[in-house]
Amino acid sequence: MKKILSVSLATVLVASTLPSLSFAATNVGQGEVTNVVPTDNATNVDRNAVLEAVIKDPNGASLKTVDFMEGFTYDYASSNAINGFYGVSDSDPLTSPLGGSAFTDSHKANAAFADGKFAVTDAEGAYPFHRFEVDVSKHLESGNEIELNWQGKTLAKGKLILSAWDYTASKWVVLEEETANQGGNIGFSKVVADSKFFQNGKMQAMVHDAAPAPEAVIDNSKFTMAWFTDTQFYAADKPEVWTSMTNWMIDEYNKGRFGYVINSGDLVNLSTDLDQWAVADENLRRMDEANIPYGVMAGNRDVVNQDTMEIDYTNFWVYAGKDRYEDRPWYGEQMDNNRNHYDLFSFGAHDFIILYLGYGKVQEDETIQWTNQMLAKHSDKNAILVVHNYLSPGGFRSKDGDYIFANVVRKSPNVKMVLGGHYFGADREIRTVTDPDGTTREVLEVLSNYQGKDGAEGYMRLLTFDPATDTVDFDTFSPYYNDYNYFEGDSDDFTEGYKLEPTEAVEVPAVRQIATDYAAVNVFTDDVIGSVSNIPSGNKASVEWNELDPLTQYFWYINITNTSDQKRTSEIYKFTTNDAALPDPEEPEEPGDPDPEEPIEPTFPDIVGTNYEWALEEIEAMVARGIIIGHENGTFQPGNSIERQHVALMFTRAMDLNKAVPLTPFVDVPESAEYYDEIMAVQQAGIVEGYQNKFRPYGKMTRAEMAKVLVVAFDLDEGGTHPFTDVPANHWAAEYIGPLYAAGITEGTGNNKFNLEREVNRAEFATFMYRALKYKENN
């Protein structure tokens, strides 16, 4: 379905003896299904799989039922039956029969995922097309919904047409058509159910570029970039402001209002606060999935450790490193894992290099040398420098700004604009620079930062360039307030000169293009794997899918019904099982398991018969040791995230703690707190340190934090590495995850992932602690 990733083309086919009916699934919106396990495309998943996700109703309503359903996907990533063809037609393809050459391996690889990699066919003076043939015969059953997805783009002036082959009349039938926005991205949505469009279970669809051959025209059309900056307080205290900005950017980009987005740093307020980084990650993820071209950079708040005041890019690299952007078509070269990087983007005849210099090291020789090399390499392009701390209110440059101006701006004739944030306010200066050849150029320096005062939230800039007049117009708008211009005067709304290269008019060639990013057919069956009823919005739902075949790919999705009987449907997820043997119900799984003829008498009523029965033995063993007591109502609530104060309590029950460090009270744990003694005991044992003199007793523990406390508490010194691809070597938790994996206490969450920031539930922590206890006893 991929509706969360980007706009999709949906074609639903229904085989039935009933009259033709058109219908389509109502898809979940942003953030309504998260923390999906197994993760999409996971491998090595147990054949008794546990499917789970956190479900949130958009209106906060409770969830009446959450149904886990079987699905199926035909796409190039799944090696199922979808055939693609590409070609160029001298005449309108709508007048031609089925044709084209089969997709090459390169075409298939680029069309396998919605990842910004495209299978491209260009044509000059002709019509390029991509045709898809899909055999869905084995899924043409009443009750199944079959959806064909297509995502892609064409040139900025292109027009794509979606058509389907009418087998009865032997002709193409136009279903929809759309003209491209500035970025060329196009999505269709069309539902069909007429039997004339499929034969012997097969359906043919074609997308082609039908833009008229342009006459010799001059491309002096205006174009716009967006600019947002200093979202730090939104990440810390007002995430709804950032959400409103992201919503607006996605909507306006899809309307063609702008083609590229600039960010000038301070994504978060505290570089070490992972909750703030989660807010940043969510907003950047949504821009990624909307395929909006954009660039980010590190501000001081993103990389300065507030305790030590040292520069530390660790979390910036995790959430905004090169891995996030290197597959994007506009992303250029980078230095030091995206500390510095540039993007390349074009509007009509005008090419840009937007170069970002991360905070803290802009005056280093290697930074200046790399920057000047990249600007010289792209000296034919209009250059915009983005430097977080460059200009202050009043038009005075910072020390960084003076250094960059003297060592970069003066030496690079294509630099005519520098953008920055950092200081609250809006200002600008125009500097005249004389280049070595004696010519002069004007450099526009602009400051923009609106957060920090009530009523100034959410303001961002739109930069509209006019090649006909060599000007750039700045507008300032807050999606949060739906209001223009926070400051009085012309600080927010102004027009200045900006001489674009090339200055001569350029004719638009008669070139057409069809580019496929993702092509697939999804099948939404009515086969239920399992259901969960009556859970609050925002809670986790999970079911078991047992006795799956080895080394087999499985597909599933979620149907959601809230208490108002509103129904929503997730996208389809896929995973591949391992080839491990299924547990023999007649034999214990491991030495020390109880005799199957003497089953464990459960202490808690909410374990047996639930999705957490897998942890029954460990939980009961912890009960026997007096480490777990449960809640006053007699339940254990295994699926709830474990609170940090309860982790401290379990450590004091599990072991004799020595006082390794001085007592250091936490400001949020008064002596009257219920677990004051236990929390201070683990603090003095050196197991926890807190952050900014806070312990957060009611806070939830992440998997990264879990790794640290277990390794420290049990002094796990097992050597070895780990296979987890989502744990950077420089992440603070990496030194703990290796020993935890080597000791056999964790195996990750599948697909070679550890999921650093996923919260640990009570069943999982009980299991991890029990394994650590047993490991220490055996070694």
Side-chain angles (χ1 to χ4, degrees):
M1 187 176 294
K2 303 295 183 186
K3 294 292 168 50
I4 291 178
L5 292 176
S6 64
V7 180
S8 300
L9 171 160
T11 304
V12 178
L13 308 176
V14 181
S16 174
T17 57
L18 299 175
S20 295
L21 298 173
S22 297
F23 59 91
T26 303
N27 302 296
V28 296
Q30 291 287 350
E32 293 165 16
V33 174
T34 59
N35 300 84
V36 174
V37 177
T39 55
D40 197 21
N41 294 302
T43 58
N44 196 35
V45 174
D46 288 346
R47 294 169 62 190
N48 286 340
V50 176
L51 312 181
E52 64 181 41
V54 173
I55 314 294
K56 182 178 180 181
D57 183 81
N59 300 315
S62 296
L63 304 172
K64 189 175 183 179
T65 58
V66 177
D67 298 313
F68 291 76
M69 312 290 294
E70 287 193 51
F72 193 84
T73 295
Y74 300 88
D75 65 5
Y76 293 112
S78 304
S79 301
N80 293 317
I82 179 170
N83 295 313
F85 304 85
Y86 70 98
V88 174
S89 175
D90 291 333
S91 59
D92 190 338
L94 294 174
T95 63
S96 305
L98 306 177
S101 301
F103 265 21
T104 65
D105 289 343
S106 176
H107 283 108
K108 295 175 182 178
N110 289 335
F113 301 96
D115 55 4
K117 297 179 181 179
F118 297 91
V120 180
T121 303
D122 292 317
E124 186 166 357
Y127 300 88
F129 65 86
H130 286 175
R131 178 173 65 87
F132 301 94
E133 177 185 84
V134 187
D135 184 350
V136 294
S137 55
K138 68 178 182 179
H139 285 108
L140 284 177
E141 301 176 6
S142 179
N144 286 357
E145 294 187 19
I146 301 175
E147 180 186 68
L148 171 66
N149 287 319
W150 185 90
Q151 302 170 39
K153 67 176 184 178
T154 184
L155 301 177
K157 294 183 179 296
K159 181 177 74 172
L160 293 188
I161 292 179
L162 163 69
S163 57
W165 182 254
D166 181 344
Y167 283 96
T168 59
S170 296
K171 66 177 184 179
W172 291 106
V173 176
V174 174
L175 303 178
E176 287 190 0
E177 60 183 60
E178 185 175 340
T179 302
N181 58 26
Q182 286 185 350
N185 299 297
I186 282 183
F188 293 111
S189 180
K190 184 64 181 179
V191 175
V192 296
D194 199 315
S195 60
K196 68 183 181 181
F197 290 116
F198 56 93
Q199 185 179 79
N200 298 325
K202 292 184 179 180
M203 182 266 186
Q204 306 275 350
M206 179 174 66
V207 183
H208 75 281
D209 188 344
E215 300 176 357
V217 295
I218 304 304
D219 184 16
N220 267 338
S221 56
K222 298 179 181 180
F223 56 88
T224 300
M225 302 183 194
W227 174 22
F228 75 101
T229 184
D230 292 87
T231 51
Q232 62 205 62
F233 296 149
Y234 313 149
D237 300 314
K238 294 185 176 182
E240 67 275 10
V241 178
W242 198 342
T243 298
S244 71
M245 297 165 68
T246 303
N247 290 342
W248 184 83
M249 283 190 283
I250 292 172
D251 291 343
E252 295 302 308
Y253 174 75
N254 288 331
K255 295 176 184 176
R257 185 165 183 176
F258 55 82
Y260 179 84
V261 178
I262 295 169
N263 168 267
S264 48
D266 275 1
L267 295 167
V268 300
N269 195 43
L270 289 176
S271 64
T272 53
D273 191 327
L274 298 184
D275 290 338
Q276 295 182 28
W277 279 109
V279 174
D281 182 52
E282 171 68 11
N283 283 279
L284 298 183
R285 179 186 62 79
R286 294 183 59 207
M287 294 179 69
D288 293 337
E289 293 172 353
N291 286 322
I292 297 177
Y294 75 96
V296 300
M297 63 173 296
N300 60 301
R301 291 286 180 170
D302 301 320
V303 296
V304 175
N305 186 304
Q306 297 299 305
D307 292 329
T308 65
M309 300 309 294
E310 295 179 350
I311 301 295
D312 184 355
Y313 267 76
T314 299
N315 284 330
F316 181 83
W317 286 330
V318 170
Y319 293 96
K322 66 179 181 178
D323 290 345
R324 185 170 205 133
Y325 301 104
E326 59 187 353
D327 291 333
R328 299 293 176 174
W330 60 84
Y331 189 68
E333 298 179 56
Q334 59 82 33
M335 173 185 174
D336 194 13
N337 196 9
N338 207 40
R339 171 166 65 86
N340 306 318
H341 89 278
Y342 66 81
D343 292 340
L344 300 176
F345 206 81
S346 299
F347 294 87
H350 305 287
D351 300 329
F352 281 83
I353 174 174
I354 302 99
L355 195 148
Y356 299 81
L357 298 179
Y359 182 85
K361 299 185 178 182
V362 297
Q363 297 188 40
E364 291 187 352
D365 290 343
E366 61 174 358
T367 294
I368 299 300
Q369 182 179 5
W370 179 85
T371 300
N372 286 329
Q373 287 177 347
M374 298 305 103
L375 290 171
K377 179 179 178 179
H378 297 282
S379 59
D380 59 332
K381 297 178 175 61
N382 300 281
I384 297 176
L385 279 185
V386 189
V387 183
H388 178 66
N389 178 14
Y390 186 87
L391 194 70
S392 64
F396 302 101
R397 285 193 299 259
S398 66
K399 290 183 179 180
D400 281 352
D402 281 338
Y403 198 87
I404 292 297
F405 185 83
N407 293 280
V408 175
V409 176
R410 284 190 177 278
K411 296 180 180 180
S412 303
N414 54 336
V415 175
K416 300 173 187 174
M417 184 182 293
V418 186
L419 305 179
H422 187 62
Y423 300 101
F424 176 78
D427 214 329
R428 68 187 185 278
E429 283 292 325
I430 300 174
R431 321 281 185 180
T432 300
V433 179
T434 301
D435 291 322
D437 61 1
T439 61
T440 60
R441 60 187 155 100
E442 290 186 340
V443 178
L444 176 60
E445 303 171 337
V446 187
L447 164 69
S448 180
N449 182 358
Y450 292 85
Q451 69 163 336
K453 292 186 179 180
D454 289 338
E457 295 91 352
Y459 284 90
M460 53 190 299
R461 290 283 179 76
L462 291 173
L463 290 63
T464 300
F465 296 81
D466 187 349
T469 60
D470 282 331
T471 60
V472 57
D473 180 73
F474 279 71
D475 289 310
T476 303
F477 177 72
S478 170
Y480 185 67
Y481 290 113
N482 191 27
D483 179 62
Y484 286 90
N485 302 335
Y486 175 77
F487 293 105
E488 296 180 357
D490 66 349
S491 296
D492 286 340
D493 188 351
F494 60 89
T495 301
E496 298 289 358
Y498 188 94
K499 191 173 182 65
L500 285 157
E501 300 293 343
T503 54
E504 297 79 16
V506 176
E507 296 182 357
V508 178
V511 176
R512 301 184 180 95
Q513 182 185 86
I514 173 70
T516 295
D517 187 20
Y518 180 70
V521 166
N522 290 325
V523 180
F524 297 84
T525 79
D526 59 357
D527 297 325
V528 180
I529 300 169
S531 299
V532 181
S533 302
N534 301 320
I535 64 172
S537 175
N539 278 26
K540 182 187 296 183
S542 62
V543 299
E544 293 183 0
W545 199 1
N546 293 326
E547 299 184 7
L548 303 179
D549 292 332
L551 301 177
T552 302
Q553 195 167 56
Y554 285 88
F555 306 84
W556 59 287
Y557 69 100
I558 302 173
N559 274 338
I560 307 162
T561 305
N562 66 14
T563 51
S564 300
D565 285 328
Q566 296 172 319
K567 300 181 184 297
R568 320 259 312 162
T569 302
S570 78
E571 63 179 297
I572 287 181
Y573 309 102
K574 60 176 77 87
F575 66 84
T576 303
T577 54
N578 58 33
D579 59 353
L582 291 170
D584 187 344
E586 300 301 323
E587 296 292 337
E589 294 184 6
E590 296 179 3
D593 282 352
D595 189 325
E597 295 181 0
E598 298 180 6
I600 296 174
E601 183 68 25
T603 302
F604 305 111
D606 55 346
I607 305 295
V608 176
T610 73
N611 299 323
Y612 300 97
E613 190 168 354
W614 58 269
L616 176 62
E617 179 187 348
E618 289 83 357
I619 292 171
E620 293 297 336
M622 298 285 274
V623 169
R625 292 174 180 236
I627 301 172
I628 288 176
I629 296 176
H631 293 279
E632 291 182 357
N633 63 1
T635 65
F636 182 66
Q637 299 178 14
N640 288 356
S641 298
I642 192 163
E643 295 179 2
R644 293 166 58 84
Q645 62 180 355
H646 293 151
V647 170
L649 177 63
M650 291 174 67
F651 275 124
T652 60
R653 292 171 176 171
M655 56 203 308
D656 294 326
L657 299 178
N658 297 319
K659 294 182 179 180
V661 298
L663 176 70
T664 306
F666 299 110
V667 296
D668 57 348
V669 185
E671 291 187 17
S672 59
E674 181 178 6
Y675 299 117
Y676 173 82
D677 291 338
E678 290 83 357
I679 292 170
M680 301 321 300
V682 295
Q683 180 269 316
Q684 288 182 278
I687 298 173
V688 300
E689 299 173 351
Y691 177 70
Q692 292 189 331
N693 207 23
K694 294 181 179 180
F695 178 72
R696 296 188 296 120
Y698 300 100
K700 308 303 190 292
M701 177 157 285
T702 67
R703 289 173 58 84
E705 293 168 338
M706 174 273 298
K708 179 179 179 179
V709 296
L710 289 178
V711 169
V712 172
F714 292 100
D715 192 24
L716 301 178
D717 57 1
E718 183 74 24
T721 59
H722 62 77
F724 306 125
T725 59
D726 60 341
V727 179
N730 56 7
H731 191 278
W732 66 264
E735 63 178 300
Y736 306 107
I737 293 169
L740 205 68
Y741 176 80
I745 296 170
T746 182
E747 297 177 354
T749 58
N751 200 25
N752 288 335
K753 302 290 185 183
F754 184 76
N755 276 324
L756 289 160
E757 302 312 316
R758 200 179 101 185
E759 294 176 357
V760 181
N761 64 41
R762 292 167 57 84
E764 291 169 336
F765 192 82
T767 301
F768 286 130
M769 178 175 270
Y770 179 72
R771 290 174 182 171
L773 282 166
K774 294 296 290 182
Y775 177 83
K776 201 63 180 175
E777 291 169 0
N778 294 333
N779 293 272

